[in-house]
Coordinates of all heavy atoms in Angstrom, one line a residue:
I552 N 35.6 73.0 80.7 CA 34.5 72.1 80.4 C 34.7 70.7 80.9 O 33.8 70.0 81.5 CB 34.1 72.2 78.9 CG1 33.7 73.6 78.5 CG2 33.1 71.1 78.5 CD1 33.6 73.9 77.0
G553 N 35.9 70.2 80.5 CA 36.2 68.8 80.9 C 36.2 68.6 82.3 O 35.8 67.6 82.9
M554 N 36.8 69.6 83.0 CA 36.9 69.5 84.5 C 35.5 69.5 85.1 O 35.2 68.7 86.0 CB 37.7 70.7 85.1 CG 37.9 70.7 86.6 SD 38.9 69.4 87.2 CE 40.5 69.9 86.7
F555 N 34.6 70.4 84.6 CA 33.3 70.5 85.1 C 32.5 69.1 84.9 O 31.9 68.6 85.9 CB 32.5 71.6 84.4 CG 31.1 71.8 85.0 CD1 30.9 72.6 86.1 CD2 30.0 71.1 84.5 CE1 29.6 72.8 86.6 CE2 28.7 71.3 85.0 CZ 28.6 72.1 86.0
V556 N 32.6 68.6 83.7 CA 31.9 67.4 83.4 C 32.5 66.3 84.2 O 31.8 65.3 84.7 CB 32.0 67.1 81.9 CG1 31.4 65.7 81.5 CG2 31.1 68.1 81.1
G557 N 33.8 66.3 84.4 CA 34.5 65.2 85.1 C 34.0 65.1 86.6 O 34.0 63.9 87.0
F558 N 33.6 66.2 87.2 CA 33.1 66.1 88.5 C 31.6 65.9 88.6 O 31.1 65.3 89.4 CB 33.5 67.3 89.3 CG 34.9 67.3 89.9 CD1 35.8 68.2 89.5 CD2 35.3 66.3 90.8 CE1 37.1 68.2 89.9 CE2 36.6 66.3 91.2 CZ 37.5 67.2 90.8
A559 N 30.9 66.6 87.7 CA 29.5 66.7 87.8 C 28.7 65.5 87.2 O 27.6 65.2 87.6 CB 28.9 67.9 87.1
I560 N 29.4 64.8 86.3 CA 28.7 63.7 85.5 C 29.4 62.4 85.8 O 30.6 62.3 85.9 CB 28.8 63.9 84.0 CG1 28.2 65.3 83.6 CG2 28.1 62.8 83.2 CD1 26.7 65.5 84.0
P561 N 28.6 61.3 86.0 CA 29.2 60.0 86.4 C 30.2 59.5 85.3 O 30.0 59.7 84.1 CB 28.0 59.0 86.5 CG 26.9 59.8 86.8 CD 27.1 61.2 86.0
F562 N 31.2 58.8 85.7 CA 32.2 58.2 84.8 C 31.5 57.3 83.8 O 30.6 56.5 84.2 CB 33.1 57.4 85.8 CG 34.3 56.8 85.1 CD1 35.4 57.6 84.8 CD2 34.4 55.5 84.7 CE1 36.6 57.1 84.2 CE2 35.5 55.0 84.1 CZ 36.6 55.8 83.8
G563 N 31.9 57.4 82.6 CA 31.3 56.5 81.6 C 30.5 57.3 80.5 O 30.4 56.8 79.4
V564 N 29.9 58.4 80.9 CA 29.1 59.2 80.0 C 29.7 60.6 79.8 O 29.1 61.4 79.2 CB 27.6 59.3 80.4 CG1 26.9 57.9 80.2 CG2 27.5 59.9 81.7
Q565 N 30.8 60.8 80.4 CA 31.5 62.1 80.5 C 31.8 62.6 79.1 O 31.6 63.8 78.7 CB 32.7 62.1 81.4 CG 32.4 61.9 82.8 CD 33.5 61.6 83.6 OE1 34.6 61.3 83.1 NE2 33.4 61.7 84.9
L566 N 32.4 61.8 78.2 CA 32.9 62.2 76.9 C 31.6 62.6 76.0 O 31.7 63.5 75.2 CB 33.7 61.1 76.2 CG 35.1 60.9 76.8 CD1 35.8 59.9 76.1 CD2 35.9 62.2 76.9
A567 N 30.6 61.8 76.2 CA 29.4 62.1 75.4 C 28.8 63.4 75.7 O 28.0 63.9 74.9 CB 28.3 60.9 75.6
I568 N 29.1 64.0 76.8 CA 28.6 65.3 77.3 C 29.7 66.4 77.0 O 29.4 67.5 76.5 CB 28.2 65.2 78.7 CG1 26.9 64.3 78.9 CG2 27.8 66.6 79.2 CD1 26.5 64.0 80.2
S569 N 30.9 66.1 77.4 CA 31.9 67.1 77.3 C 32.3 67.5 75.8 O 32.6 68.7 75.6 CB 33.2 66.7 78.0 OG 33.9 65.7 77.3
I570 N 32.3 66.6 74.9 CA 32.6 66.9 73.5 C 31.6 67.8 72.9 O 31.9 68.9 72.3 CB 32.9 65.7 72.7 CG1 34.2 64.9 73.2 CG2 33.1 66.0 71.2 CD1 34.4 63.6 72.6
P571 N 30.3 67.5 72.9 CA 29.3 68.4 72.4 C 29.3 69.8 73.1 O 29.1 70.8 72.5 CB 28.0 67.7 72.6 CG 28.3 66.3 72.7 CD 29.6 66.2 73.4
L572 N 29.6 69.8 74.4 CA 29.6 71.0 75.2 C 30.8 71.9 74.6 O 30.7 73.1 74.6 CB 29.8 70.8 76.7 CG 28.5 70.6 77.5 CD1 28.9 70.4 78.9 CD2 27.7 71.9 77.4
S573 N 31.9 71.2 74.3 CA 33.1 72.0 73.8 C 32.7 72.6 72.5 O 33.2 73.7 72.2 CB 34.3 71.1 73.7 OG 34.2 70.2 72.8
F574 N 31.9 72.0 71.7 CA 31.5 72.6 70.4 C 30.6 73.8 70.7 O 30.7 74.9 70.1 CB 30.8 71.6 69.5 CG 31.7 70.7 68.7 CD1 32.0 69.4 69.2 CD2 32.3 71.2 67.6 CE1 32.8 68.6 68.5 CE2 33.2 70.3 66.9 CZ 33.4 69.0 67.3
L575 N 29.6 73.6 71.5 CA 28.6 74.6 71.9 C 29.3 75.8 72.5 O 28.9 77.0 72.2 CB 27.5 74.1 72.8 CG 26.5 73.1 72.3 CD1 25.6 72.6 73.3 CD2 25.6 73.9 71.2
M576 N 30.3 75.6 73.4 CA 30.8 76.7 74.2 C 32.2 77.2 73.5 O 32.9 78.0 74.1 CB 31.1 76.3 75.6 CG 29.8 76.0 76.3 SD 30.0 75.4 78.0 CE 30.3 77.0 78.7
K577 N 32.5 76.7 72.4 CA 33.7 77.0 71.6 C 35.0 76.8 72.4 O 35.7 77.8 72.6 CB 33.6 78.4 71.0 CG 32.4 78.5 70.0 CD 32.4 79.9 69.5 CE 31.4 80.2 68.4 NZ 30.1 79.6 68.4
G578 N 35.1 75.7 72.9 CA 36.4 75.3 73.7 C 37.2 74.3 73.0 O 36.6 73.5 72.1
S579 N 38.3 74.0 73.5 CA 39.2 73.0 72.9 C 38.6 71.6 73.1 O 38.3 71.2 74.2 CB 40.6 73.1 73.6 OG 41.4 71.9 73.3
K580 N 38.5 70.9 72.0 CA 38.0 69.5 72.1 C 38.9 68.6 72.9 O 38.5 67.9 73.7 CB 37.6 69.0 70.7 CG 36.4 69.5 70.1 CD 36.5 71.0 70.0 CE 35.4 71.6 69.2 NZ 35.5 73.1 69.2
L581 N 40.2 68.8 72.6 CA 41.2 68.0 73.3 C 41.2 68.3 74.8 O 41.2 67.4 75.6 CB 42.6 68.3 72.7 CG 43.8 67.5 73.3 CD1 43.7 66.0 73.2 CD2 45.1 68.1 72.8
G582 N 41.1 69.6 75.1 CA 41.1 69.9 76.5 C 39.9 69.4 77.2 O 39.9 69.0 78.3
S583 N 38.7 69.4 76.5 CA 37.5 68.9 77.1 C 37.6 67.4 77.4 O 37.1 66.9 78.4 CB 36.3 69.2 76.3 OG 36.2 68.5 75.1
I584 N 38.3 66.7 76.5 CA 38.5 65.2 76.7 C 39.4 65.0 77.8 O 39.2 64.2 78.8 CB 39.0 64.6 75.4 CG1 37.9 64.7 74.3 CG2 39.5 63.2 75.6 CD1 38.5 64.4 72.9
L585 N 40.6 65.7 77.8 CA 41.6 65.4 78.8 C 41.1 65.9 80.2 O 41.5 65.3 81.2 CB 42.9 66.1 78.4 CG 43.6 65.5 77.2 CD1 44.8 66.4 76.9 CD2 44.0 64.1 77.3
G586 N 40.3 66.9 80.3 CA 39.8 67.5 81.5 C 38.9 66.5 82.2 O 38.9 66.4 83.4
T587 N 38.2 65.7 81.5 CA 37.4 64.7 82.1 C 38.2 63.6 82.8 O 37.6 62.8 83.6 CB 36.4 64.0 81.1 OG1 37.2 63.3 80.2 CG2 35.5 65.0 80.5

């Protein structure tokens, strides 16, 4: 999730998207943050 958001979304709003996505998709919150 973090990797996807890291490439698809502009720098600066990535965390605001990756963290809620990790809740929705039941993924690691830490991983989604670090992946960005």
Side-chain angles (χ1 to χ4, degrees):
I552 291 166
M554 181 69 72
F555 184 88
V556 171
F558 280 118
I560 305 298
F562 188 78
V564 293
Q565 295 170 342
L566 292 179
I568 294 171
S569 71
I570 294 171
L572 273 177
S573 66
F574 279 101
L575 287 172
M576 299 179 76
K577 296 180 175 45
S579 166
K580 285 52 171 179
L581 176 65
S583 73
I584 292 167
L585 295 176
T587 62

